[in-house]
Amino acid sequence: MTTNLLSPEELFRERSLQSYLERLEADYKDFLKRVNTDEGRLNEEESLRALRRKIATLTPLIDDLITLRLKEEDLKATEALLKDDDAEIRELAEKERVLGQEEVQGLKKKILSHLVPTEEADEGDLVLEVTAGVGGQEAMLFAAEIFHMYQNFASFQGWRFETLASTCSRLAGVWHARACIADRCEHIFGSPETRRSSETKGKPLTLKSILSSLPQINFTINAKDLRIETKRASGAGGQHVNTTDSAVRIVHLPTGVVSECQQERSQLKNKEKAMTVLRAKLYSMKLEEQMSKRYSARKLQIGSRGRSEKIRTYNFPQDRVTDHRISKTVYDIKSFMLGKEQLNDVIQSLQDFSEQESLLDILKENEL
């Protein structure tokens, strides 16, 4: 079962969408008029540059709306030919009708994508964190599987995947791991929490892993707001661990946010990686604050460490994976864990659902 999404055709039948498009078209015409006639009288708050920026933003939408109307007119003319007395003409008209419908649907989907605002975090690099939850050693092994799955997914998408930190168990499990994903162009994770269901001596065993994604966006952090500490690295690493103060801990004093790194032998590299994570955490806090003000309720909830919350379940005995945010279930866990087509399909479904929710929120705000 999957969460029902409205098709582009269904959305275009919504009066709220038509009203919103009409308003954007009216704004576009008004901006063009003011640029052409009021150039010398524009005040500081509404400069010529600001108007041109608004026009540039709306132009792709308006162009596609114009094209859509032309295609719809062509489609009507083609459908009229389906009643022609000539069988050959009817056959050609049917082929043209199918192609025309596909073009119209494609344009409608493209127009809807123009209406969904692009967040700054959608196009930046990403810091991915995986933490083992309840379940001891088996939970750490599961966390390692999840981390490697997304590492494979990054490779599948052609993105760069760099491990920033990892705390491993004795049996190849992971208590905590962090990586930077670069060269991407769209939001992909949305902070999901995952669960794994397996069986031990005939009884169900539920393990848990916390997966979070933090946008890596460049913004100013004042040096005076940071306390940077160095210490000797701990854990595996040989003689170097005991003799070199290479581990770095950075505290952002105004917020209390802490970032640590001991992955590299070089103190400088550890500092750079710790700053990368700190910047991502601070931006994520800023983004969450903005989003909470913008939306009164979030449809795609971010999981916490509470055992009662479920975002995605990996049920190994039944060989299925269920994403509870969109009620989507896929089978063949082994293929899913490869981090390729099946995972990509689920993430794309999440993306489609998220975009439609954002669009519906915008339309609702427009009606107020």
Side-chain angles (χ1 to χ4, degrees), residues 204-230:
L205 172 65
T206 299
L207 308 174
K208 186 170 155 185
S209 174
I210 312 299
L211 173 64
S212 60
S213 55
L214 306 174
Q216 181 185 332
I217 304 296
N218 291 323
F219 66 103
T220 302
I221 299 177
N222 293 326
K224 65 180 182 179
D225 292 334
L226 302 178
R227 183 173 74 241
I228 302 177
E229 305 167 351
T230 59

Side-chain angles (χ1 to χ4, degrees), residues 5-18:
L5 286 171
L6 295 176
S7 67
E9 190 67 36
E10 290 171 321
L11 281 168
F12 265 78
R13 287 199 291 266
E14 293 287 331
R15 181 56 196 162
S16 58
L17 176 62
Q18 293 300 321

Side-chain angles (χ1 to χ4, degrees), residues 100 117 161 193 255 288 297:
F161 188 98
E193 164 198 321
T255 61
E288 280 298 310

Side-chain angles (χ1 to χ4, degrees), residues 15-79:
R15 181 56 196 162
S16 58
L17 176 62
Q18 293 300 321
S19 297
Y20 186 51
L21 290 174
E22 289 169 5
R23 198 193 82 182
L24 292 177
E25 284 190 279
D27 289 344
Y28 182 75
K29 293 176 182 178
D30 182 56
F31 296 153
L32 286 176
K33 181 179 178 182
R34 275 188 273 175
V35 165
N36 292 330
T37 61
D38 299 340
E39 182 174 338
R41 299 193 297 274
L42 293 173
N43 59 37
E44 292 182 0
E45 292 182 358
E46 195 169 48
S47 66
L48 180 62
R49 181 180 297 178
L51 275 177
R52 284 177 173 167
R53 187 163 52 245
K54 292 176 181 178
I55 291 170
T57 300
L58 285 173
T59 295
L61 169 67
I62 302 303
D63 287 346
D64 284 337
L65 276 172
I66 293 172
T67 303
L68 173 63
R69 287 166 187 153
L70 291 173
K71 291 292 182 181
E72 287 180 327
E73 288 298 320
D74 290 342
L75 186 58
K76 288 180 180 179
T78 299
E79 289 174 341

Side-chain angles (χ1 to χ4, degrees), residues 30 66 135 144 211 220 236 249 264-265 284 293 304 336 359:
D30 182 56
I66 293 172
L211 173 64
T220 302
R249 184 176 187 266
E264 303 291 338
R265 289 179 177 268
S284 183
K293 291 179 180 178
S304 72
F336 188 88
L359 177 56

Side-chain angles (χ1 to χ4, degrees), residues 226-250:
L226 302 178
R227 183 173 74 241
I228 302 177
E229 305 167 351
T230 59
K231 61 180 180 178
R232 292 183 180 179
S234 60
Q239 186 178 3
H240 158 75
V241 170
N242 301 315
T243 61
T244 309
D245 291 338
S246 60
V248 176
R249 184 176 187 266
I250 303 177

